[in-house]
Amino acid sequence: MKRYDVAVVGGGPAGLSVAITTTLRGLNTVVLERASAPVDKACGEGLLPTGLAVLERLGARPLLDDEGSFPFKGVRYVQEDGSTAEGLFPGKGALGVRRVALASALVSRARAVGVELRERTRVASHQRHGGGVVLHTEAGPVEASMLVAADGLASPLRHAEGLDIAPVGPRRFGLRRHFQLAPWTPYVEIYFAPGVEAYVTPTGVKRVGLAFLWEDGRVEGPVSFESLLARFPLLEARLSGAVPDSQPRGAGPLARVSRARIADRFALVGDAAGYVDAITGEGMSLAFVCAEALGNLLPEALARGASREALMPYEECFQRVFRKYAWSTGALLTLARRPWLRRPVVRLLGKSPWLFERILHGIVA
């Protein structure tokens, strides 16, 4: 049996980012993906400056064209009465990117640098054995010195390792669809209504993505893409007559908690490592930053036996990055759940764009 240095389970952005990084660092890496690549999923599809910088270092940014991506320079909040607040990101700004386009670029880059990608390969179980990890698949066992779990929010591998913790608080869900429509603004727009938010992200020169986030029990009646859109008359009018460019795709519950990101010869990355909510749009950027950090650490960690102790710098990096994300996400969720508080705050930010930009810079730095 061929033995790999690193086996990554999950061929999404986080898993492929780890694989590209480890391969560039000289490690023999295989990615096991249960579906066919490229993998699509419900996603806000915004890459903030930190995530975009990692994408460039991975060498995948040049593989994106304007059909599948579109730059945006900041965030605009839009309230029920039409009042707005907008702020600019630092530096070159951010990038809206169709999830399939991003996955395709990462798959192409991974194959170009020598990553072995096995599609339609489901991992049924795994066990530590002989100084490594054996993964059992329908096509036979796969052996590696290190297992990286990038298998999404539900993460069967996180559960199998006993790292799951039940999240507390209300459950939140997401629903996303695209429309054939030229972006009308260089901002990501966030519209508010009681119990639900709408996010408009430019994802191509002739495409916008629309995502809804809502809290379980706060939206009356049957939930559908059309019923949620009807809660935003300004947005509904803007999209009137636009041709859908994808089918609605949902996700949730969103919040996931892990007691740790590492164990002996094992690490969690991406959504599998933990998730709070998509309200700040930081999810993909957080995944890229942590995936790169893990990939850069693994050569040294493997030389030290890939023990929990050897992997601890990754855990510390994750906690440092995740702590800031959790704080900013919690603050925005507090506002979203309390319209009486959110409305005057957004009006204040609208009158003081310098304050809004200072807050944005603190989030994305």
Side-chain angles (χ1 to χ4, degrees):
M1 186 193 312
K2 179 180 179 181
R3 177 164 172 153
Y4 298 89
D5 295 317
V6 181
V8 180
V9 177
L16 290 171
S17 298
V18 172
I20 292 169
T21 304
T22 54
T23 301
L24 290 173
R25 295 293 306 275
L27 299 181
N28 187 14
T29 304
V30 63
V31 174
L32 309 176
E33 168 53 49
R34 65 181 180 180
S36 298
V39 180
D40 194 12
K41 66 175 286 187
C43 174
E45 302 183 318
L47 265 181
L48 301 185
T50 51
L52 184 55
V54 175
L55 190 68
E56 292 174 344
R57 289 194 292 271
L58 292 173
R61 175 67 179 90
L63 302 178
L64 293 170
D65 58 24
D66 62 7
E67 182 179 345
S69 63
F70 197 85
F72 60 92
K73 63 181 185 180
V75 174
R76 173 183 290 146
Y77 291 156
V78 183
Q79 303 203 94
E80 299 91 331
D81 61 359
S83 60
T84 64
E86 57 189 47
L88 300 175
F89 289 132
K92 299 178 181 179
L95 187 72
V97 56
R98 179 72 170 91
R99 179 61 179 247
V100 173
L102 176 63
S104 295
L106 289 167
V107 165
S108 296
R109 179 58 177 160
R111 286 177 169 149
V113 302
V115 175
E116 182 178 336
L117 175 58
R118 299 191 189 181
E119 302 175 60
R120 297 176 294 281
T121 302
R122 187 180 71 85
V123 175
S125 63
H126 74 284
Q127 62 186 116
R128 290 167 179 80
H129 175 73
V133 182
V134 177
L135 295 89
H136 300 282
T137 77
E138 293 180 355
V142 176
E143 186 174 355
S145 299
M146 175 74 193
L147 170 58
V148 175
D151 51 345
L153 283 173
S155 186
L157 288 173
R158 182 184 65 223
H159 180 73
E161 285 285 324
L163 296 176
D164 267 324
I165 298 178
V168 297
R171 301 191 307 167
R172 295 254 294 175
F173 296 86
L175 187 62
R176 180 217 68 191
R177 195 175 200 182
H178 301 89
F179 293 87
Q180 295 177 18
L181 188 67
W184 58 83
T185 171
Y187 293 89
V188 162
E189 290 190 330
I190 302 174
Y191 293 74
F192 291 99
V196 60
E197 310 95 52
Y199 303 77
V200 181
T201 304
T203 55
V205 69
K206 295 181 180 179
R207 182 191 302 110
V208 297
L210 173 58
F212 297 108
L213 294 177
W214 72 95
E215 196 168 291
D216 194 20
R218 295 197 62 187
V219 176
E220 296 181 1
V223 174
S224 67
F225 194 90
E226 290 73 20
S227 68
L228 293 173
L229 180 58
R231 295 171 175 268
F232 301 90
L234 294 174
L235 188 53
E236 189 175 34
R238 174 74 72 172
L239 294 175
S240 177
V243 178
D245 194 46
S246 67
Q247 294 299 314
R249 184 181 289 268
L254 298 177
R256 305 294 165 130
V257 184
S258 177
R259 67 180 72 253
R261 266 52 53 184
I262 57 172
D264 289 343
R265 299 189 179 275
F266 180 85
L268 294 162
V269 72
D271 293 348
Y275 198 77
V276 180
D277 196 85
I279 193 169
T280 63
E282 298 175 82
M284 281 208 300
S285 296
L286 175 71
F288 273 119
V289 169
C290 293
E292 183 184 44
L294 176 60
N296 282 326
L297 171 68
L298 282 182
E300 178 184 351
L302 283 168
R304 297 172 54 197
S307 64
R308 189 178 188 279
E309 181 182 359
L311 294 167
M312 186 56 68
Y314 168 64
E315 174 73 16
E316 293 169 350
C317 172
F318 178 91
Q319 290 188 13
R320 184 171 59 253
V321 176
F322 194 84
R323 190 179 301 116
K324 186 170 70 169
Y325 153 71
W327 181 89
S328 59
T329 301
L332 271 180
L333 283 173
T334 296
L335 290 178
R337 289 167 175 156
R338 296 166 175 81
W340 59 267
L341 177 61
R342 181 250 302 163
R343 289 170 183 142
V345 169
V346 172
R347 292 192 189 102
L348 172 63
L349 295 176
K351 296 175 181 177
S352 308
W354 63 269
L355 177 59
F356 192 10
E357 290 178 7
R358 179 172 293 184
I359 294 171
L360 286 178
H361 292 194
I363 291 173
V364 305

